[in-house]
Amino acid sequence: MIVLFTDFGYQGPYVGQMKAVLHQHAPAEPVVDLMHDVPAFDIRAAAFLLAAMIREFPMDTVFLCVIDPAVGSDRETAAVKIDGRWFVGPDNGLFSVVTKRADQVQWHHIRWRPERLTSSFHGRDLFAPIAARIAAGTLRENDLVTCAPSTDPGWPEEYAAAVYIDHYGNVMSGMRADAISQQAVIQINGQRLHHARTFSEVPVGRAFWYENSIGLVELAVNQGSAARVLGIEVGMPFTVRGG
């Protein structure tokens, strides 16, 4: 299957145009919309989110990932096989967290170029055709060139900051929950949050932190918006005490 992970948003033509190209080149391959509301232009947030979301997908899944604020520049392209799954997109740090946590990595730059390559939509013109060819098994010998892994951007192993806010106002972080103790206290924006296993374990209106369904530390308010109550925006850091 081909999995889409972008900051395009769910409105507008961009996702549909990429899907049209995928259908043209790999009509038999199912396409899954994993996420199109990754925080816009935020490569670091995207990298930690992506690394947390891949475990449910089988080997040979092709992730078509486009968070590409430098599209049209001299930034490189990437098609990387990581522990049996493929990741296609810009070589800008987006795959760095997945790579760092992997056992086997085969890194490639994309040599192939289409007849028409616009300067502002490499997701449609370049990355989608290559992702489709990989998924369909029609990749040609000269489409990719093997290279050394991309330079590590030097981000921490765990990202103690808000990386995504869902429509409930729950605040997802880039920190894996198993990296800290359940007795840890999270401090953010002048507030102290203790751990709970799930929402119903705390009174309505109380803020807490918990391990979410993809294994990340998430900040929440029972039947409320943690983002609003705590005044949190994407990128806001927090500290961990006693963890």
Side-chain angles (χ1 to χ4, degrees):
M1 73 176 73
I2 301 169
V3 175
L4 302 181
F5 181 85
T6 80
D7 62 353
F8 293 168
Y10 288 93
Q11 297 181 344
Y14 307 115
V15 175
Q17 287 182 292
M18 283 210 311
K19 287 183 175 181
V21 172
L22 294 174
H23 183 73
Q24 177 184 355
H25 291 275
E29 297 300 319
V31 176
V32 174
D33 294 286
L34 175 58
M35 200 171 184
H36 293 300
D37 59 346
V38 173
F41 317 122
D42 195 333
I43 299 166
R44 179 159 61 170
F48 281 90
L49 284 168
L50 178 63
M53 292 183 177
I54 64 176
R55 75 180 83 180
E56 279 75 27
F57 293 93
M59 297 297 103
D60 295 325
T61 296
V62 180
F63 290 86
L64 172 53
C65 306
V66 189
I67 292 83
D68 196 12
V71 61
S73 71
D74 60 357
R75 65 93 181 89
E76 261 295 355
T77 59
V80 192
K81 192 171 187 180
I82 304 173
D83 288 343
R85 303 178 180 93
W86 280 91
F87 298 81
V88 178
D91 186 355
N92 59 7
L94 182 56
F95 305 136
S96 61
V97 180
V98 179
T99 300
K100 185 180 292 186
R101 297 174 183 175
D103 293 321
Q104 296 182 333
V105 177
Q106 298 173 334
W107 200 281
H108 312 270
H109 290 157
I110 300 171
R111 175 181 288 169
W112 174 83
R113 291 295 183 269
E115 292 183 7
R116 175 176 177 263
L117 178 61
T118 60
S119 60
S120 60
F121 203 176
H122 288 188
R124 177 194 66 193
D125 300 338
L126 183 61
F127 301 136
I130 288 296
R133 289 182 184 183
I134 293 172
T138 58
L139 194 69
R140 295 175 296 197
E141 182 177 357
N142 294 327
D143 286 344
L144 306 179
V145 56
T146 302
C147 61
S150 178
T151 302
D152 187 335
W155 297 330
E157 186 70 23
E158 306 293 339
Y159 185 30
V163 296
Y164 180 72
I165 298 172
D166 70 16
H167 77 282
Y168 294 108
N170 300 323
V171 179
M172 198 177 298
S173 82
M175 173 172 281
R176 289 173 290 186
D178 61 8
I180 63 175
S181 165
Q182 291 185 358
Q183 283 68 50
V185 176
I186 289 178
Q187 296 181 329
I188 186 167
N189 215 17
Q191 304 287 325
R192 293 168 52 89
L193 279 66
H194 295 268
H195 174 265
R197 186 180 59 85
T198 189
F199 293 78
S200 61
E201 289 189 346
V202 302
V204 172
R206 178 174 294 179
F208 65 102
W209 73 267
Y210 74 111
E211 179 178 353
N212 71 9
S213 62
I214 56 173
L216 296 176
V217 169
E218 186 160 309
L219 317 181
V221 170
N222 188 14
Q223 299 184 36
S225 167
R228 180 180 54 79
V229 170
L230 303 174
I232 299 173
E233 298 179 351
V234 169
M236 183 176 290
F238 59 82
T239 58
V240 179
R241 303 298 184 193

